[in-house]
Amino acid sequence: MQDRKLTPEMVPVIKLARQRKYNYARIASYFQINQGRIADVMMGRRFSEVSAASELPPDFPTA
């Protein structure tokens, strides 16, 4: 199975979810992407200029 590509639209949610202490696995599962892409975002290797969202999507899994 091929992972989906990380898009700029995913990044604000990823950043907010990490701020709220969601683990990489839960975030990656929601977006169906590799956990390494979450790490890329959090380490500033991808889309560092994108800010965190103000709220999580309604269908985002609870902690």
Side-chain angles (χ1 to χ4, degrees):
M1 182 176 104
Q2 181 95 3
D3 284 334
R4 295 176 53 196
K5 292 203 183 290
L6 178 67
T7 66
E9 294 77 24
M10 296 174 179
V11 174
V13 174
I14 291 169
K15 289 183 176 182
L16 179 60
R18 284 300 298 148
Q19 287 174 2
R20 294 190 179 178
K21 308 296 185 202
Y22 282 84
N23 66 33
Y24 283 30
R26 185 165 297 217
I27 300 166
S29 175
Y30 175 76
F31 287 111
Q32 298 178 348
I33 60 175
N34 184 288
Q35 292 181 43
R37 301 305 67 80
I38 307 301
D40 287 343
V41 168
M42 298 315 300
M43 296 296 180
R45 292 187 292 256
R46 304 280 309 271
F47 304 109
S48 61
E49 70 284 354
V50 177
S51 300
S54 57
E55 60 185 53
L56 293 173
D59 65 338
F60 201 84
T62 57

